[in-house]
Amino acid sequence: MTAAAAPTTGSSVAWNHRHLIDLDVVTWPEIELIMRTTEQMKGILARPIRKVPALNGRRVTTLFYEASTRTRVSFETAARNLSADVVSVSTATSSVTKGESLVDTIRTLEALGAEILVMRHSVSGAPYLAAEIFSGHVLNGGDGWHAHPTQALLDLFTMREHVPGGDLRGRKVAIVGDILHSRVARSNIWSLTAAGADLWLCGPATLLRGMDRWAGAWAGGAIPGHGRFNVTSDINAAVKDADVVMGLRIQRERMQGGLLPSLREYAAMYQLNAERVSLAKPDAIVMHPVPMNEGVEIAPDIATSGRSVILDQVSNGVAVRMALLYLLAGAHEAAQPGHEGAHEAAHAEAAR
Amino acid sequence: MTAAAAPTTGSSVAWNHRHLIDLDVVTWPEIELIMRTTEQMKGILARPIRKVPALNGRRVTTLFYEASTRTRVSFETAARNLSADVVSVSTATSSVTKGESLVDTIRTLEALGAEILVMRHSVSGAPYLAAEIFSGHVLNGGDGWHAHPTQALLDLFTMREHVPGGDLRGRKVAIVGDILHSRVARSNIWSLTAAGADLWLCGPATLLRGMDRWAGAWAGGAIPGHGRFNVTSDINAAVKDADVVMGLRIQRERMQGGLLPSLREYAAMYQLNAERVSLAKPDAIVMHPVPMNEGVEIAPDIATSGRSVILDQVSNGVAVRMALLYLLAGAHEAAQPGHEGAHEAAHAEAAR
Amino acid sequence: MTAAAAPTTGSSVAWNHRHLIDLDVVTWPEIELIMRTTEQMKGILARPIRKVPALNGRRVTTLFYEASTRTRVSFETAARNLSADVVSVSTATSSVTKGESLVDTIRTLEALGAEILVMRHSVSGAPYLAAEIFSGHVLNGGDGWHAHPTQALLDLFTMREHVPGGDLRGRKVAIVGDILHSRVARSNIWSLTAAGADLWLCGPATLLRGMDRWAGAWAGGAIPGHGRFNVTSDINAAVKDADVVMGLRIQRERMQGGLLPSLREYAAMYQLNAERVSLAKPDAIVMHPVPMNEGVEIAPDIATSGRSVILDQVSNGVAVRMALLYLLAGAHEAAQPGHEGAHEAAHAEAAR
């Protein structure tokens, strides 16, 4: 099916993925199912008591090989809002560092009761290995440069909240920064082209390597009905008349590899500042997957301006992660009548 | 109103503070409300199942920039006893250390759902900054040398349990040690003078700097009706006929700044030992905000003697923190009928 | 009573231990009570919602002076499955490292509300000290080279699941590796001889020191009715016709003390590989208290072969720890009618 042509198909779409590792295999109707479920979860978060029993007695384990308090807290809060039990394992504080293989660690966590494994790893593709050996559900919390699907989905949800009609077809989205090393950019490519957006990836040529070939294959019409996908080093061209302008974090380490001459030079040429953002549409929104380097990829006044929806992204992250935990848990256990009850209860809860 | 003249005014006092950062703005009737609420919470802790649903579905986040397992566990236990969901963030194990500003961290935690923020920070005044940007409640778990209000309140509660009639008016309280760097001493000044106690702060002159001026202003009658407040380097004068003798932790780092010649010399001159404590009243109690350096500021036999109420302080700490979480959460949400129910339920629970 | 002669005495045995530090003081009928309770807990783990309210409102504190994510997660999962509140303290992330004594730490944790203390410490015997000062229950999660009773009990439970009839009397069990430094081996000696097994401990002579004297005293009939207990450096003799073959982790540090020439030499002489395991009975099982050094004490193909029950050990560990938390909590509070209800409810739950 084609994304641009496909309107929301409503409740007839079922969730059939055992894992969520990247968005490349998720269809547009499935993404819309995630968006609708996120909407329901956001309703739960607006109540005085933000908790439903949907995943009561279910076990969510977070396994973080990279430190990220923010993302870990977001997943754990999402799991607890659904009344799941949460076990947290991170290499910073655990004996996991003692040279035990990823395979042994995952087998052990499963034997200890893990049902949904939220995993962050510095090696691209590590969650695919996890999915091969884990009999539950793997939810990718970011792997190397490869993918960060929950971030892309919360980005999409936040854009739809702010774009009139919630429809991104033909809307111009500019992502500016270190595209090459960004799992956020890569996952956003799938979701935003599926949504029919006019996507522009922008950064210094050294940080765009390989992207033009990807964009070329795509825009050539290989996937008809999807949005456009452009790559440029010209920030003015990227930002001009954009509906959405997103900055990406610049990591200091990039300079060591010779990919960036200096943060100062980067800021001079690519920082999202008032002048550049003024080229976008008057009601354009500014986004960023925190943490920010204020003064480098984004000017402080832009980060906190009325256009900024950066904190909306953070809070929508909890809702989108609740939706994904809920869908993943439900798909797997659909055949078990005991769980079905909890399933329906949550639906009823969410529907109120 | 004056503390010495003001008897308990009973249930007519309401809690109107959005935050609790220091006791300087808390009135005596409000302190008595905290004491009464702590009493109720202590009743809950005496039951086989020490848990009430008062804060069910509410989210307490602890943000600790200084390691303190003891204080963190106390706050988290208090929050869980009230059925709150607890998120713990500490710089030791988190990416918070990566140079992100306090402001950004707090905004992010709020976007992730934090409602009550329990914060410990090495910079005096940091919680005031937090309170400016956080839309929920800030509860100070200790900031620099400035304040540690929950410690002062648990100290007060413990003293009232042991002083006949629970009335500290005219009772002599001696606090001995590193007054200069002690947030515990500073917060105790507010609560103990409000309680009408005869407060004596004692230590080497280098560790009392500035205190005599404070005491002078006070005792001069600026706040009529409050207790007396004395500063001395003469430990015998401080401890003589005292009802309460409290030692403070001496930090080894103080010697580097030339404020203390050696721990041995400090112990010889100011250690709370059997001889000195014998100068106090026969039924005087000995207190200390753990952790202790036994053999430095306090002799081991005194720390574990029958006069010592040090472990009472620790367990009263859970009750006083339950009371504060309860009061802070209730004040803010009083207008929300959904929460009012939980509120009343807890009152009913606590009243049984 | 003698183990070999004593059949299961059924429900007439009560649990009378306040602590569980080692198995030397636990009788065979009591071990069988643990096994039956573990069976019931395993039934709970097989349900869609793996949670019972047995320890609702009860407080379990884990205090780990050695890092072990696996064991800590196992205990915490067990406690949460019983609806207990869990507080985790580990030296890696806590201020416990700042020189505070074990005694002060335990007194403080008790004052903070700890009722069951699960403790791991690198010093043999540390839990006995804890038990002297802690008024609740101490559950040993491993102390130095001394004891690891929960591991021995999960080993026993796993063996009984796989040995026909669940009866270990006369069954040959070979434990191969660093016996000298192994708390796992030491605790298994008590439980396996009590079960009437024919136990063989095997390793290089340097790693068996003192064991032959222990075995000699035993086999001489000091405890009539118990199984045999043999010590050998001949791996073929140990493994031949065994019903159970268990490998122990070899620690690299051992080479520094001159106890092992090299890991390569150890592997050549004692690794559990296909050739050696083929000497055991055709239906023999292979065990290991993870984490493994695959390629050192065990060959990778043996670790993952059909004979391996290593992951069964991990998941049985959760059930056995649920059983022990349940029995310890129940014994202590039996006189309190309020708790008795929770007690019975769990029994009813477990019996369904």
Side-chain angles (χ1 to χ4, degrees):
Chain A
M1 114 244 44
T2 64
T8 303
T9 52
S11 52
S12 62
V13 183
W15 181 257
N16 288 312
H17 295 278
R18 203 178 114 204
H19 310 292
L20 182 68
I21 297 178
D22 197 6
L23 298 176
D24 52 352
V25 296
V26 181
T27 66
W28 178 246
E30 287 167 340
I31 289 178
E32 292 206 308
L33 172 63
I34 298 169
M35 295 293 112
R36 286 195 304 276
T37 311
T38 301
E39 198 80 65
Q40 294 173 326
M41 296 302 168
K42 220 177 153 169
I44 293 169
L45 293 179
R47 302 181 198 165
I49 297 187
R50 328 173 179 180
K51 209 161 180 169
V52 289
L55 297 195
N56 185 30
R58 309 293 297 274
R59 211 161 309 288
V60 174
T61 298
T62 62
L63 175 61
F64 272 52
Y65 284 86
E66 283 184 352
S68 174
T69 302
R70 189 174 290 102
T71 307
R72 182 182 58 77
V73 168
S74 181
F75 274 111
E76 290 180 14
T77 300
R80 290 207 189 105
N81 286 346
L82 298 170
S83 302
D85 281 315
V86 180
V87 166
S88 300
V89 176
S90 70
T91 50
T93 58
S94 89
S95 53
V96 166
T97 41
K98 287 185 192 162
E100 192 188 37
S101 76
L102 177 63
V103 169
D104 282 345
T105 298
I106 289 170
R107 284 193 176 128
T108 302
L109 292 175
E110 178 172 341
L112 288 168
E115 295 174 88
I116 300 181
L117 185 70
V118 176
M119 183 176 164
R120 167 164 289 198
H121 204 285
S122 58
V123 175
S124 300
Y128 292 108
L129 174 60
E132 265 178 46
I133 54 170
F134 185 62
S135 73
H137 309 280
V138 175
L139 179 47
N140 186 6
D143 63 321
W145 306 353
H146 169 245
H148 196 352
T150 61
Q151 179 72 40
L153 289 165
L154 73 88
D155 288 342
L156 179 63
F157 186 86
T158 307
M159 290 179 205
R160 284 161 56 113
E161 281 187 325
H162 288 91
V163 166
D167 188 347
L168 284 168
R169 279 178 293 181
R171 295 291 182 173
K172 182 171 179 182
V173 178
I175 302 182
V176 181
D178 181 359
I179 308 294
L180 177 61
H181 303 93
S182 175
R183 55 194 175 207
V184 176
R186 276 187 184 70
S187 282
N188 262 311
I189 290 172
W190 296 109
S191 48
L192 291 174
T193 54
D198 179 24
L199 177 61
W200 290 66
L201 300 182
C202 175
T206 49
L207 299 179
L208 282 175
R209 234 162 21 199
M211 284 295 158
D212 46 354
R213 244 177 310 163
W214 188 355
W218 207 284
I223 304 186
H226 278 69
R228 293 182 55 204
F229 171 12
N230 313 276
V231 175
T232 181
S233 284
D234 179 348
I235 181 147
N236 290 342
V239 170
K240 185 160 171 47
D241 295 326
D243 298 273
V244 177
V245 180
M246 183 189 298
L248 298 179
R249 182 176 176 84
I250 291 291
Q251 319 236 302
R252 277 159 207 282
E253 304 89 90
R254 297 307 169 224
M255 285 182 296
Q256 294 164 4
L259 296 176
L260 269 185
S262 75
L263 291 187
R264 185 178 301 195
E265 187 170 328
Y266 179 84
M269 297 188 62
Y270 290 100
Q271 186 184 78
L272 297 183
N273 57 22
E275 192 191 331
R276 289 186 183 120
V277 170
S278 73
L279 299 175
K281 289 215 184 116
D283 57 350
I285 56 173
V286 173
M287 304 179 76
H288 191 291
V290 285
M292 293 179 275
N293 288 311
E294 290 182 38
V296 182
E297 73 264 10
I298 191 164
D301 59 331
I302 291 299
T304 56
S305 71
R307 292 161 173 268
S308 169
V309 296
I310 293 170
L311 291 175
D312 293 354
Q313 290 174 271
V314 175
S315 54
N316 286 336
V318 175
V320 90
R321 285 164 183 133
M322 288 170 72
L324 290 168
L325 290 171
Y326 177 73
L327 290 170
L328 285 172
H332 187 58
E333 310 288 322
Q336 296 193 20
H339 178 65
E340 208 53 33
H343 212 179
E344 281 163 13
H347 263 308
E349 269 290 271
R352 263 178 227 161
Chain B
M1 113 243 46
T2 62
T8 305
T9 51
S11 52
S12 62
V13 184
W15 181 258
N16 287 312
H17 296 277
R18 202 178 116 206
H19 310 293
L20 182 68
I21 297 178
D22 198 5
L23 298 176
D24 53 353
V25 296
V26 181
T27 65
W28 179 246
E30 289 166 341
I31 289 178
E32 291 207 307
L33 172 63
I34 298 169
M35 295 293 112
R36 288 195 304 276
T37 311
T38 301
E39 199 78 65
Q40 295 173 325
M41 296 303 168
K42 219 175 153 170
I44 293 169
L45 292 179
R47 303 181 196 164
I49 297 187
R50 328 172 179 184
K51 208 162 182 170
V52 289
L55 297 194
N56 185 30
R58 308 294 296 274
R59 212 162 308 288
V60 174
T61 298
T62 62
L63 175 61
F64 271 52
Y65 283 87
E66 283 184 352
S68 173
T69 303
R70 190 174 291 102
T71 307
R72 182 182 59 75
V73 169
S74 181
F75 275 111
E76 291 181 14
T77 301
R80 290 207 189 105
N81 287 346
L82 298 170
S83 302
D85 281 315
V86 180
V87 166
S88 300
V89 177
S90 70
T91 50
T93 59
S94 89
S95 53
V96 166
T97 42
K98 287 185 193 162
E100 191 188 36
S101 75
L102 177 63
V103 170
D104 282 345
T105 298
I106 289 169
R107 284 192 176 128
T108 302
L109 292 175
E110 178 173 340
L112 287 169
E115 294 173 88
I116 300 181
L117 185 70
V118 176
M119 182 175 165
R120 166 163 288 197
H121 203 286
S122 58
V123 175
S124 299
Y128 292 108
L129 174 61
E132 265 179 46
I133 55 171
F134 186 62
S135 72
H137 310 280
V138 175
L139 179 46
N140 186 6
D143 63 320
W145 307 352
H146 169 245
H148 196 353
T150 60
Q151 178 74 39
L153 290 164
L154 72 88
D155 288 342
L156 180 63
F157 186 86
T158 307
M159 290 179 206
R160 285 161 56 113
E161 281 188 325
H162 288 90
V163 166
D167 189 349
L168 284 168
R169 280 177 293 180
R171 295 292 182 174
K172 182 171 178 182
V173 178
I175 302 183
V176 180
D178 180 0
I179 308 294
L180 177 61
H181 303 93
S182 176
R183 55 193 175 210
V184 176
R186 276 187 184 69
S187 283
N188 262 312
I189 290 172
W190 295 109
S191 48
L192 291 174
T193 54
D198 178 24
L199 177 60
W200 290 66
L201 301 181
C202 175
T206 49
L207 299 179
L208 282 176
R209 234 163 20 201
M211 284 294 158
D212 46 354
R213 245 178 308 163
W214 189 353
W218 209 283
I223 305 188
H226 278 69
R228 293 182 55 205
F229 171 12
N230 314 275
V231 174
T232 181
S233 284
D234 178 348
I235 181 145
N236 291 341
V239 170
K240 184 159 173 45
D241 294 328
D243 298 272
V244 177
V245 181
M246 183 189 298
L248 298 179
R249 183 177 176 84
I250 291 291
Q251 319 236 300
R252 278 158 206 283
E253 306 88 89
R254 298 305 169 225
M255 285 183 296
Q256 294 165 5
L259 296 175
L260 269 185
S262 75
L263 291 187
R264 186 178 303 192
E265 188 169 327
Y266 178 84
M269 298 187 61
Y270 291 98
Q271 186 185 79
L272 297 182
N273 58 23
E275 192 192 330
R276 291 187 181 119
V277 171
S278 72
L279 300 175
K281 289 215 184 118
D283 57 350
I285 55 173
V286 173
M287 305 180 74
H288 191 292
V290 284
M292 294 178 273
N293 288 310
E294 290 181 38
V296 183
E297 73 265 10
I298 190 165
D301 59 331
I302 292 299
T304 57
S305 71
R307 291 162 174 270
S308 168
V309 297
I310 293 170
L311 291 175
D312 293 355
Q313 289 174 272
V314 176
S315 54
N316 286 336
V318 175
V320 91
R321 285 164 183 134
M322 287 170 73
L324 290 168
L325 291 170
Y326 177 73
L327 289 171
L328 285 172
H332 188 59
E333 310 288 323
Q336 298 192 20
H339 177 65
E340 209 53 32
H343 215 182
E344 282 162 12
H347 263 309
E349 271 288 273
R352 263 177 227 163
Chain C
M1 112 248 41
T2 63
T8 304
T9 51
S11 51
S12 62
V13 184
W15 182 257
N16 288 312
H17 295 277
R18 202 178 114 204
H19 309 292
L20 182 68
I21 298 179
D22 198 5
L23 298 176
D24 53 352
V25 297
V26 181
T27 64
W28 178 246
E30 288 167 341
I31 290 179
E32 291 206 308
L33 172 63
I34 298 169
M35 295 293 111
R36 286 194 305 276
T37 312
T38 301
E39 198 79 64
Q40 294 172 325
M41 296 303 168
K42 220 176 152 168
I44 292 169
L45 293 179
R47 302 181 197 164
I49 297 187
R50 326 172 181 184
K51 209 161 181 169
V52 289
L55 296 193
N56 186 30
R58 309 293 298 274
R59 212 162 310 287
V60 174
T61 297
T62 62
L63 175 61
F64 271 52
Y65 283 86
E66 283 184 351
S68 173
T69 302
R70 190 176 291 102
T71 307
R72 183 182 58 77
V73 168
S74 182
F75 275 110
E76 291 181 14
T77 300
R80 291 207 188 103
N81 287 347
L82 297 171
S83 302
D85 281 315
V86 180
V87 166
S88 300
V89 176
S90 69
T91 51
T93 58
S94 91
S95 53
V96 165
T97 41
K98 287 184 193 163
E100 192 188 36
S101 76
L102 177 63
V103 170
D104 282 344
T105 298
I106 288 169
R107 285 193 176 128
T108 302
L109 292 175
E110 178 173 342
L112 288 168
E115 295 174 87
I116 300 181
L117 185 70
V118 176
M119 182 176 165
R120 167 163 289 198
H121 203 285
S122 58
V123 174
S124 299
Y128 292 107
L129 174 60
E132 265 178 46
I133 55 170
F134 186 63
S135 74
H137 309 280
V138 175
L139 180 46
N140 186 5
D143 63 320
W145 307 352
H146 169 244
H148 196 351
T150 61
Q151 179 74 39
L153 289 165
L154 72 88
D155 288 343
L156 180 62
F157 186 86
T158 307
M159 290 179 206
R160 285 161 56 111
E161 281 188 325
H162 288 90
V163 166
D167 188 347
L168 284 168
R169 279 177 293 179
R171 294 293 183 174
K172 182 172 179 183
V173 178
I175 302 183
V176 180
D178 181 359
I179 307 295
L180 177 61
H181 303 94
S182 176
R183 54 193 175 210
V184 176
R186 275 184 186 72
S187 282
N188 262 311
I189 290 172
W190 296 109
S191 48
L192 291 174
T193 54
D198 178 25
L199 176 61
W200 290 65
L201 301 181
C202 175
T206 50
L207 298 179
L208 282 175
R209 235 161 21 199
M211 284 295 158
D212 47 354
R213 246 178 308 162
W214 188 354
W218 208 284
I223 304 187
H226 278 69
R228 294 182 55 204
F229 171 13
N230 313 275
V231 175
T232 181
S233 283
D234 179 347
I235 181 149
N236 290 343
V239 170
K240 185 160 172 46
D241 295 327
D243 299 272
V244 177
V245 181
M246 183 189 297
L248 298 180
R249 182 176 177 85
I250 290 292
Q251 318 236 300
R252 277 159 207 282
E253 304 89 89
R254 298 305 168 224
M255 284 183 295
Q256 293 164 5
L259 296 176
L260 268 185
S262 75
L263 292 187
R264 185 178 300 194
E265 187 169 329
Y266 178 84
M269 296 188 62
Y270 291 99
Q271 185 184 80
L272 297 183
N273 57 22
E275 192 191 331
R276 289 185 182 119
V277 170
S278 72
L279 298 175
K281 288 214 185 120
D283 56 351
I285 55 172
V286 173
M287 304 180 75
H288 190 291
V290 284
M292 294 180 273
N293 288 310
E294 290 182 37
V296 182
E297 73 265 10
I298 191 165
D301 58 332
I302 292 299
T304 56
S305 70
R307 289 161 174 271
S308 167
V309 296
I310 294 170
L311 291 174
D312 293 355
Q313 288 174 271
V314 175
S315 53
N316 286 336
V318 175
V320 90
R321 284 164 184 135
M322 289 170 71
L324 290 168
L325 291 171
Y326 176 73
L327 290 170
L328 285 173
H332 188 57
E333 309 289 321
Q336 296 192 20
H339 178 65
E340 209 52 34
H343 214 183
E344 282 162 12
H347 263 308
E349 270 291 270
R352 262 176 226 159

